[in-house]
Each structure stands twice: as structure tokens, then as C-alpha cells.
Amino acid sequence: MRVFEWKLAVYRRVWKANVLTSLLQPLLYLLAMGLGVGALVNKNGGSARLLGGVPYIAFVAPGLLATTAMMVGAIESLWPVHDAMKWGRQYEAMSATPLEPADIVLAHVLWLMFRTGTAAAAVAAAMALFPDVRSWGLVAAIPAAMLSGVALGMPLSAWAVSREREMSFPLIQRFIIVPLFLFGGAFFPLSQLPIGIRIIGYISPLWHGVEMCRSWVSGTHMTALAAVGHVTYLTVFVVVGSVYMRRLAKDRLFA
Amino acid sequence: MSIGRDYGGSLTQTAEFGQLLCWVSSCGMTVGDQASASAGAPVAPLIHASGLRKQFGDFVAVDGIDFDVQPGEAFGFLGPNGAGKSSTMRMIGCTSPTSGGTLQLFGLDPATDGPAIRRRLGVVPQMDSLDNELTVEENLVIYGRYFDLSRAEARRRAKELLDFVQLTDRATSRVEPLSGGMKRRVTIARSLINQPDLLLLDEPTTGLDPQARHILWDRLYRLKQQGVTLVLTTHYMDEAEQLCDRLVVMDAGKIVAQGSPRQLIDEHATREVLELRFRAGSNEENVQYASGVGDRHEVLPDRILVYAHNGDEALAKAIANGAQPESALVRRSTLEDVFLRLTGRTLVE
Ligand SMILES: Nc1ncnc2c1ncn2[C@@H]1O[C@H](COP(=O)(O)OP(=O)(O)OP(=O)(O)O)[C@@H](O)[C@H]1O
Ligand SMILES: [Mg+2]
């Protein structure tokens, strides 16, 4: 909790700019996707055939909740974590206090929850402006999106905390995060894809988040079992990532 | 606290800070009082190390060292780069597990009581670890929070400490643009926020200009006067002489000598040193004039050192021998000479 305060204190310096972009960006995006791409998809009858009759905006907008959380989770995990470990030495400073690596990791989980949660909330706020996707399900979708963001963030944080250099980070971004983002079922149904690529979607934390968001927002049915399955899958990512981050941080700070 | 613009430490400032430091040194006091009460019983050391080792893979960084640090003293590790000073400090700071031997702080074992010990330590690491994005004050307050201080208490102490390190007027500026010496002072202030029983300083003034070093020494000297136990590392002999009551000389992971600066000089060097400089590259042919005129001599790349009780006499003898130095200088022996004697090398290469 104390470590979380440190992140907040740093964040306080940039939050105003941040709030504006996190609101504006989804708005522009929803306009472009919903009206632009949507017009294309809907006109060709694609919406009826592939999306089960919902307009494209109703399909893609809940996905945006999850992708936004995912991107925020990833970005808050690579460079900032590495920086606090190596260049800024904030973690080293903490290691000289009664704090232990577990405190640092816990604070980081909280931090990711906060950042992905607020980012998803901003998207939800933007979505509330569009009648096609306005629903109380938006509120429930926020934690679902948040969870998928943290689920991707924690393993990345574990990686970032252990790296001596950050050369691998752009590669991770290009070859891991972007594919997970594109093939996570946010922009088109996974059924569109050949099975080989579809697998990427199923293992991606994003897809599990997208499925839940879409179900909550559209009010379509998802079995309790499926919901529990998604949540469990994502929670495993969070837990495993946290355990590794703690161990790797400890190896490095207490060498 | 009175208006903090009064630099150089007005009386009120010092007095009020003294109160703060009474807590800082409270542990030292207690231990000391107990000792004097039970007349003659040995004082429990704050730090006890015997056969202490640190190994990184196959490499032995600290090779079985023994030392005790008593409450209230200023204890130093003097040694060149790579001697193992930081490795030792990190073990004392409970951020690095020992690879062998015994280490106890406040009678506790770092392996099992790390967080409890760290709660009572102030640490100034070799490399500053301040958050550049935050203000000076925020750095202190947030650090205080890691020690479970309430926000109000952390803020109160931060104010006092910034006053003490004479940075009150920079409290709300970001850390980033501060000079190296100022950052160092912020780090020292930060390390005092939990009113530690023991302050660890790893090369507190390395890389600073002379003026900044003197400001820091002055602050550390005040802390020492207040009874704070200091443990510091340095590769500057003047720093060791100025600040340390007692020190150990480290080289290649081992302790090669220990004692007070005075003792070390008396034991391992003569009272005075004659420095002779000859034409570049002619040391070898001139060494004959230096031999025998003092107790012993040492040939360095750029000069010949003659160790003698009386340097002027030694110079007279050398000249009588036929020496024609380009320059000659007589000075008192320093820890530098002690180190040279013990290791055959100079401290700062
Ligand atoms: N984490 C580490 N892994 C491997 N070797 C290390 C590690 N830390 C220190 N060393 C090695 O141990 C030796 C002692 O290092 P240490 O930092 O303790 O020296 P020092 O006396 O503090 O020197 P300096 O004056 O340069 O700070 C050095 O040779 C260093 O390379
Ligand atoms: Mg060092």
C-alpha cells in the first residue's frame, strides 16, 4: 500500500493529460470503428451472418474495453518496472527499508488494477454515449477488462524486473503483445480464423477478457461455468506472474 | 521550527534538531547506560562480524573479516575500488545475504530478522536512489511511509531534516536538476527519516567537488557529535581521518589493518614523509640517494617517498649524498602512506 502511494505520487504529475487522452481516444476510436468500419460490415450483411445480427459497434466496443486494459497493463509493466529496478533504483531504495519484495509485487498488482481499471472506466464512459452499447453491463465489464489487463501485465512485469537490458521489450511488443491484441477476438470473431491462429486467441488473456466484456455489455448469455473458467484462467496468469516477479525481484535486490 | 533560511545552523535550529537526534541515537544511549550501570561490563556492540564472507559465484568479494562497531562511534572502511566495501555494507544493511561467518546487528541475525533490523537502519547507498520525478520533500515523505510513519509525522520530520541538510528552500523542487552534492544531502536526510540507531554511508562524498564534500562532512560531523553511530566507506584518506574514530583498511576482501587514524599512522608510517621529484623517468638512477637517509623509502612512478621521523634532516642527508631533485616536499604522514605500506599500492589510482 505504501509503495502504491509512491506510484500515485509520480502519477499525480501526469494524470490530467492522461485522463483526457483516455477519454478522447476511445471516443475517436468508437466513432471510426462504429460508424466507419461498421457501415462497411453492416451494409454487406456481415453483421447478420457473423456477428449474430448485432451492429458492428456493439461487437467491437466491448472488445475495446479489454484491449485498452490490456495495452495499459502491458505498458505499465515493461519500461516502468525495469526503470524502477535499474535506472531509477526506486526498488533498491525500498529494499533498504522494512519492505520486502512481496510488498513491491503486491503494490504493483494494485497499481495495474488501478491503471487498467480507470482506463477501462474511461472507455465505458465513452461507450455510454453510444445508444447501441449503452447498458448497465458496462459497469460489470470494467473489472473483467481490468483482470485481463493485469493478467498480461504481471508476467511481463516479472520479465521486466529480471532483465539487465531492455532490448527485448520492443520485440515483446511487436511479436507478443501485438498478435495477442490482433487475434484476441476483439475486432472479429475468432471463428473467422484458421484453427492454428485461433489458438493464439484462446491462450491470449485478452480473449478471455473480451468474451466476458462482450457478454456483460450485450446481456447475452454466458454460462456461470464459462465465466468461472475465464476468471480462473486469468487469475492463474496474475498469480504465476506475481510469484515469479517476487522471486526474480528478490534475487536481484537481495543478491 | 524557526524560519529555515538561516543557513550555517542557528542555535535554535541545532538545538531543535538535537532533540530529533536524541531519538536517533536513543539505542546507542540505552546500551551505553546499561554498560555504565553495570560497571565495567563489556558494551554490547551494535554490529558484530566474525569471519564474514561474501561470494558471488566463484568470486570472493569479502574474505573472512572480523570487526565490531560500538554504539556512538564513527567506524570506517577504507579501501580502493573493488576492495569489498560495498559488499560489506550491503550485508550490514541486510540487503545481501552473507556467504559465511557471523553477522549480528543489535544482537539480531540479518538472515531471519532482516526487516526488523532494516527498520532501525539509515542507509545512504553508493549510488543515489532518489526518485527524480518527485520533489525533494515527496522523496522524504514517501520513504518515511515505507517505515510506517503517518503522513503528518513523515512530513514533520522531512521538514526538520531538510532544515538540517540546509535544503529547506529546495523542498518543493524536483530532485532531477539538483547538483550531486545536494542530491547526496537529500539522500542523507532521507536516511534519517526513521530516526535510525545506525547510519550506513557508502562513499558519501565520492565524485563531489571539494566544497560540496566539506558541507557534507560538516553535517556528518554534527550527526556524530549528536551521538549517532556512523559506519562509512571511503577511498579518501582525508575523509577517513576527518570522520572516523576507528577504521579498518580493506584490500581485496580482507582487512589489512585496523585502529584509529592516529594509531594506524603511528604503527605503519613514520612521523614525516619526504617527497622527492626527479626528472621524469630518472627515478631508478636517483633511488640510491634516497636509500638510507630515512627509515625506508618507496618508489612511485612520479616520485620517491622517504619515510623519516624528521623529513628536513632526511632531505639534508639526501642532498649531501648528491641528490638533485627538481622539487622536495616534507609533510606529515597520512593514511595514504599507511595504505601504501600495507598493500604496496596507492588508494586512488
Ligand atoms: N552482484 C555482484 N556480482 C558479482 N560480482 C560482484 C557483485 N557485486 C560486487 N561484485 C564484485 O565484488 C568486488 C567487490 O565489490 P564492491 O562493490 O564490494 O567493492 P567496493 O570496495 O565497494 O569498490 P568501489 O570503491 O568500486 O565501490 C568487485 O570486484 C566487484 O566486481
Ligand atoms: Mg563500493
Side-chain angles (χ1 to χ4, degrees):
Chain A
M1 208 57 223
R2 306 276 142 95
V3 182
F4 182 69
E5 281 177 28
W6 156 65
K7 288 293 264 183
L8 264 186
V10 178
Y11 189 59
R12 255 212 320 261
R13 310 198 153 261
V14 292
W15 74 275
K16 277 185 195 138
N18 222 307
V19 164
L20 205 65
T21 43
S22 27
L23 279 169
L24 264 180
Q25 215 164 307
L27 208 59
L28 291 174
Y29 180 95
L30 285 172
L31 282 171
M33 284 297 193
L35 303 181
V37 183
L40 222 76
V41 176
N42 300 341
K43 201 177 296 160
N44 294 327
S47 114
R49 199 156 28 84
L50 288 167
L51 309 177
V54 297
Y56 184 62
I57 188 169
F59 177 82
V60 80
L64 181 64
L65 273 168
T67 54
T68 303
M70 166 192 173
M71 281 309 186
V72 169
I75 284 167
E76 287 287 343
S77 290
L78 287 173
W79 283 275
V81 168
H82 185 262
D83 192 54
M85 189 67 184
K86 183 156 185 209
W87 305 114
R89 295 176 176 270
Q90 289 95 342
Y91 288 165
E92 183 188 304
M94 292 171 198
S95 73
T97 74
L99 295 173
E100 297 198 72
D103 299 313
I104 293 175
V105 173
L106 193 66
H108 190 63
V109 173
L110 283 177
W111 175 248
L112 288 185
M113 287 171 64
F114 170 74
R115 287 285 292 123
T116 56
T118 47
V123 177
M127 282 167 71
L129 300 176
F130 294 79
D132 281 334
V133 289
R134 191 183 300 147
S135 96
W136 284 111
L138 281 173
V139 179
I142 293 171
M146 178 173 89
L147 183 58
S148 68
V150 182
L152 179 67
M154 285 317 290
L156 291 178
S157 298
W159 173 262
V161 89
S162 66
R163 288 304 99 184
E164 197 52 50
R165 293 153 190 275
E166 51 201 74
M167 284 178 325
S168 59
F169 295 1
L171 298 180
I172 289 182
Q173 229 175 0
R174 253 166 266 160
F175 296 110
I176 297 184
I177 299 174
V178 169
L180 293 184
F181 171 79
L182 290 177
F183 302 114
F187 308 100
F188 47 83
L190 282 188
S191 56
Q192 284 291 87
L193 295 169
I195 187 73
I197 303 182
R198 223 187 284 174
I199 301 264
I200 301 179
Y202 295 141
I203 54 175
S204 167
L206 179 62
W207 178 72
H208 299 267
V210 169
E211 284 294 292
M212 286 191 283
C213 288
R214 198 166 279 149
S215 164
W216 302 168
V217 173
S218 64
T220 53
H221 186 66
M222 176 186 272
T223 63
L225 187 67
V228 169
H230 289 308
V231 170
T232 310
Y233 182 83
L234 293 175
T235 308
V236 168
F237 266 70
V238 176
V239 171
V240 171
S242 302
V243 167
Y244 271 94
M245 186 184 178
R246 193 199 79 91
R247 182 183 306 170
L248 295 168
K250 180 163 192 238
D251 287 351
R252 221 165 147 187
L253 290 172
F254 294 83
Chain B
M1 185 122 302
S2 54
I3 303 116
R5 299 260 143 54
D6 187 357
Y7 279 17
S10 70
L11 277 177
T12 48
Q13 238 175 301
T14 330
E16 283 175 50
F17 195 73
Q19 289 173 353
L20 175 66
L21 291 173
C22 281
W23 305 320
V24 173
S25 59
S26 63
C27 171
M29 301 286 209
T30 346
V31 179
D33 291 348
Q34 278 166 0
S36 52
S38 56
V43 182
L46 280 197
I47 310 176
H48 167 71
S50 66
L52 184 60
R53 286 169 54 80
K54 182 71 199 185
Q55 214 165 321
F56 296 104
D58 284 340
F59 181 79
V60 180
V62 178
D63 195 1
I65 60 174
D66 308 303
F67 61 90
D68 283 328
V69 176
Q70 305 299 338
E73 79 174 330
F75 185 87
F77 291 93
L78 178 68
N81 288 333
K85 305 183 297 291
S86 296
S87 305
T88 307
M89 288 298 255
R90 293 195 53 232
M91 288 192 281
I92 299 174
C94 303
T95 56
S96 169
T98 64
S99 321
T102 326
L103 178 65
Q104 285 191 329
L105 284 100
F106 318 115
L108 301 172
D109 179 357
T112 50
D113 297 310
I117 298 173
R118 294 201 296 271
R119 190 173 288 283
R120 299 169 62 180
L121 298 180
V123 178
V124 176
Q126 183 165 358
M127 308 267 250
D128 281 322
S129 57
L130 299 165
D131 195 311
N132 281 321
E133 299 303 316
L134 297 177
T135 67
V136 169
E137 190 182 8
E138 282 171 329
N139 261 282
L140 266 60
V141 172
I142 285 179
Y143 201 73
R145 297 286 288 152
Y146 299 157
F147 290 89
D148 296 323
L149 299 183
S150 74
R151 227 175 303 255
E153 178 64 11
R155 240 180 256 132
R156 199 184 61 73
R157 289 190 196 178
K159 239 195 181 65
E160 265 177 7
L161 288 166
L162 288 178
D163 212 14
F164 173 65
V165 295
Q166 303 170 338
L167 283 172
T168 302
D169 57 337
R170 305 307 287 264
T172 54
S173 75
R174 275 173 67 238
V175 165
E176 172 113 69
L178 297 187
S179 73
M182 288 181 181
K183 284 186 188 172
R184 223 53 192 140
R185 279 186 277 157
V186 177
T187 305
I188 288 177
R190 189 184 71 173
S191 74
L192 292 168
I193 197 107
N194 58 325
Q195 298 169 341
D197 296 326
L198 173 62
L199 188 58
L200 306 176
L201 304 130
D202 196 353
E203 302 198 11
T205 69
T206 299
L208 301 185
D209 60 65
Q211 196 200 348
R213 294 179 70 200
H214 281 286
I215 297 177
L216 266 166
W217 284 349
D218 171 56
R219 294 297 105 180
L220 293 177
Y221 191 72
R222 272 167 202 251
L223 286 175
K224 189 181 134 175
Q225 280 183 320
Q226 305 284 357
V228 181
T229 309
L230 304 177
V231 173
L232 61 106
T233 75
T234 181
H235 54 224
Y236 297 120
M237 43 108 194
D238 49 347
E239 186 158 286
E241 280 175 55
Q242 291 247 354
L243 291 174
C244 300
D245 301 321
R246 217 153 54 79
L247 57 102
V248 296
V249 181
M250 269 187 99
D251 187 36
K254 290 200 167 72
I255 290 180
V256 290
Q258 56 180 313
S260 70
R262 198 66 256 155
Q263 278 172 344
L264 285 169
I265 292 169
D266 289 347
E267 228 169 276
H268 302 281
T270 50
R271 200 172 70 98
E272 291 186 339
V273 184
L274 166 65
E275 295 200 2
L276 296 172
R277 279 174 204 270
F278 293 96
R279 200 164 33 79
S282 69
N283 275 353
E284 289 308 319
E285 53 196 84
N286 283 310
V287 77
Q288 46 162 326
Y289 304 122
S291 63
V293 303
D295 295 2
R296 59 190 177 82
H297 64 273
E298 199 86 55
V299 184
L300 299 184
D302 59 337
R303 59 198 195 273
I304 297 177
L305 304 181
V306 177
Y307 290 90
H309 182 72
N310 186 327
D312 290 319
E313 257 171 39
L315 176 58
K317 278 191 213 162
I319 288 174
N321 281 354
Q324 290 178 308
E326 290 196 329
S327 74
L329 165 79
V330 174
R331 58 168 176 80
R332 306 275 293 195
S333 285
T334 66
L335 287 173
E336 183 80 40
D337 301 300
V338 173
F339 189 79
L340 187 64
R341 177 72 206 263
L342 292 168
T343 66
R345 290 183 292 116
T346 49
L347 263 173
V348 186
E349 280 104 49

